[in-house]
Amino acid sequence: MSRFIGTVSRGIRTKIIKKGDNLAEIVVNSVMDAVASENIPIHDRDVIGVTEAVLARSQGNYANTDEIGEDIRKKFGGDHIGLIFPILSRNRFSVCLKGIAKGAKKITLMLSYPADEVGNHLLTLEQLDEAGMKDLSQLMTEKEYRDKFGKNYHPFTHVDYVEFYRDLIESEGAECEIIFSNDPLHILKYTNKVLTADIHSRKRTKKILKDAGALVYNIEDVLNEPVGESGYNKEYGILGANKSTEDSVKLFPRDSFKFANDLQSRFKEATGKNIEVLVYGDGAFKDSVGQIWELADPVVSPGYTKGLEGVPNELKLKYLADNDFKDLKGEELNNAILEKIKHKYDEDVVHNENEKLGTTPRKLTDLIGSLCDLTSGSGDKGTPIILIQGYFDNLATE
């Protein structure tokens, strides 16, 4: 065995990125400075990850609550709307909610329970058990919710989101009514004008309501084109937005595929190597304590180079060692497994499905984007660029 290190993920520091900065140039210069300072050789199929936040920031892809409100009025006529299935998040949704409230006279806000779709809990399952609520399709009014469960605070933020969202809506002059249900059709008891705020289930929810005759938009339809001088995202609207100030949000970046391909060309020119590039946002993983699924963005990676398409092709080493080569030991076992790996791509080789059992076929962009997100963090590390090396290597790679 000539190598002792496999995959390595490094955070690359940059200056603070602002609107109008040439981000591609900054990324190339920052990576080249970093590898020179640490004597790191660059290889074909190394991966560069760039966080979506700095791409959107360099694009100036921002919007304020007045612009969100104007688009809501244009779509719904400034009347009573139902807003259903938002996630419970100050960073992700509170400013969007203020903007939505500016565009409506009244909002009937329907919250899912016991948790939102990414795992932020209003209630625990134990609370539902104690209340005798086995049927999670029930509709509850705010009074019924309070009578049964009182006030409930998010375990991390210590916010009562029912009260918090009501205050935000009313602070913008809109009337607020809050109900609780997991059935999208329940909102039609209150209004047939509906804005859905769910993320990963949005297409199904929208279809159910459209089929029932509702006027329905998802938040991906809000600011999918500019309002005045606002930012926008043709594909995702305000889906994937983050709080920037008390009255503005940073939207998901535009043209992410174009950026990734341009950056790949620049690295080819600078290094002579074929480097893969992806733009990444939230990773796709779950917090074991708060039960929160991290992925509040619509996708892990909104843009990437062609070499990152598909899923890994991996063999399960422990299965091979325990089954195919169970009678081998030491160097003989090691050599047999190396030969198996070297020929895994051969067209005439048919693999026993158990040889891959447990190697979950997740998309490469989800896996690598999650690694990038975990490496860069979301606070003050100052490493919005990630250099990953050895990801596509295996035990047989010299």
Side-chain angles (χ1 to χ4, degrees):
M1 184 184 296
S2 59
R3 286 179 56 180
F4 295 91
I5 296 176
T7 302
V8 176
S9 180
R10 295 180 175 91
I12 307 296
R13 290 181 174 175
T14 70
K15 70 173 192 175
I16 303 300
I17 311 298
K18 301 290 285 185
K19 177 181 177 180
D21 284 346
N22 187 331
L23 182 60
E25 184 177 291
I26 291 170
V27 172
V28 172
N29 290 342
S30 298
V31 171
M32 298 309 293
D33 287 345
V35 299
S37 70
E38 300 292 331
N39 296 313
I40 300 168
I42 295 293
H43 308 286
D44 287 327
R45 300 219 76 190
D46 285 351
V47 180
I48 297 294
V50 180
T51 180
E52 60 83 20
V54 295
L55 178 55
R57 198 182 306 150
S58 70
Q59 294 171 340
N61 203 21
Y62 292 81
N64 61 45
T65 54
D66 289 333
E67 291 159 341
I68 294 171
E70 184 175 338
D71 203 17
I72 293 294
R73 278 192 299 275
K74 183 173 70 174
K75 288 178 165 62
F76 291 105
D79 203 356
H80 176 195
I81 66 171
L83 173 58
I84 72 171
F85 302 155
I87 64 171
L88 307 175
S89 172
R90 294 174 299 177
N91 175 45
R92 287 292 190 168
F93 197 70
S94 64
V95 179
C96 293
L97 179 58
K98 288 175 71 174
I100 293 164
K102 285 187 175 185
K105 284 184 180 177
K106 177 180 178 179
I107 291 178
T108 298
L109 177 64
M110 189 167 88
L111 302 175
S112 55
Y113 68 90
D116 67 18
E117 68 174 304
V118 298
N120 293 292
H121 277 71
L122 279 174
L123 302 167
T124 65
L125 291 174
E126 288 77 13
Q127 284 177 292
L128 292 172
D129 290 342
E130 289 173 10
M133 287 186 65
K134 305 295 184 185
D135 180 5
L136 297 186
S137 68
Q138 293 181 55
L139 172 67
M140 287 187 290
T141 64
E142 185 176 1
K143 183 178 186 307
E144 289 170 331
Y145 168 85
R146 291 298 192 195
D147 287 347
K148 279 184 171 72
F149 305 109
K151 285 198 169 188
N152 291 279
Y153 299 93
H154 191 282
F156 293 160
T157 64
H158 308 294
V159 170
D160 179 332
Y161 274 95
V162 177
E163 181 177 69
F164 179 56
Y165 279 0
R166 169 179 286 284
D167 289 346
L168 281 178
I169 292 169
E170 291 179 344
S171 71
E172 300 304 328
E175 184 183 345
C176 179
E177 175 182 35
I178 298 179
I179 58 175
F180 304 81
S181 175
N182 296 308
D183 183 347
L185 292 175
H186 279 156
I187 195 63
L188 301 184
K189 297 175 183 287
Y190 299 84
T191 175
N192 71 342
K193 294 181 178 181
V194 186
L195 178 64
T196 70
D198 46 344
I199 305 164
H200 307 292
S201 56
R202 64 189 184 276
K203 295 190 186 305
R204 175 179 179 269
T205 301
K206 193 174 183 180
K207 183 179 185 303
I208 289 170
L209 289 165
K210 272 193 169 181
D211 289 348
L215 171 65
V216 55
Y217 293 95
N218 180 263
I219 59 172
E220 69 182 349
D221 304 311
V222 179
L223 293 186
N224 58 1
E225 56 184 28
V227 171
E229 299 297 317
S230 78
Y232 69 98
N233 189 300
K234 188 183 298 184
E235 187 175 4
Y236 296 118
I238 60 173
L239 200 59
N242 286 88
K243 181 177 181 178
S244 174
T245 70
E246 293 300 321
D247 289 293
S248 67
V249 290
K250 176 200 66 61
L251 304 177
F252 224 36
R254 301 189 299 268
D255 303 320
S256 296
F257 280 98
K258 182 176 182 296
F259 174 79
N261 286 312
D262 174 54
L263 201 51
Q264 184 179 55
S265 298
R266 288 172 180 258
F267 274 110
K268 177 70 172 180
E269 184 177 340
T271 67
K273 303 297 182 180
N274 296 309
I275 291 175
E276 304 295 348
V277 178
L278 83 163
V279 178
Y280 68 93
D282 277 348
F285 48 83
K286 187 173 182 178
D287 174 75
S288 61
V289 177
Q291 302 300 304
I292 298 167
W293 182 34
E294 176 71 9
L295 188 56
D297 285 327
V299 290
V300 173
S301 175
Y304 46 86
T305 49
K306 189 173 180 59
L308 297 180
E309 293 177 353
V311 300
N313 180 6
E314 298 179 345
L315 301 179
K316 199 75 171 178
L317 295 186
K318 67 180 181 182
Y319 179 84
L320 296 177
D322 291 345
N323 292 271
D324 294 34
F325 308 118
K326 63 183 178 182
D327 296 325
L328 302 182
K329 293 181 180 179
E331 187 174 350
E332 190 178 7
L333 172 62
N334 193 64
N335 289 337
I337 288 180
L338 291 181
E339 283 302 307
K340 186 85 170 181
I341 294 170
K342 286 176 182 177
H343 295 287
K344 69 178 179 179
Y345 292 106
D346 292 358
E347 291 183 7
D348 60 343
V349 174
V350 178
H351 292 288
N352 179 335
E353 64 178 35
N354 287 323
E355 292 176 356
K356 295 188 176 186
L357 192 66
T359 56
T360 308
R362 295 175 62 191
K363 295 194 322 184
L364 284 168
T365 51
D366 287 354
L367 292 164
I368 297 172
S370 297
L371 176 57
C372 287
D373 187 31
L374 287 166
T375 303
S376 63
S378 58
D380 59 5
K381 291 184 183 296
T383 55
I385 302 165
I386 306 300
L387 170 61
I388 297 174
Q389 297 188 291
Y391 191 86
F392 294 101
D393 296 350
N394 55 49
L395 188 62
T397 305
E398 295 297 326

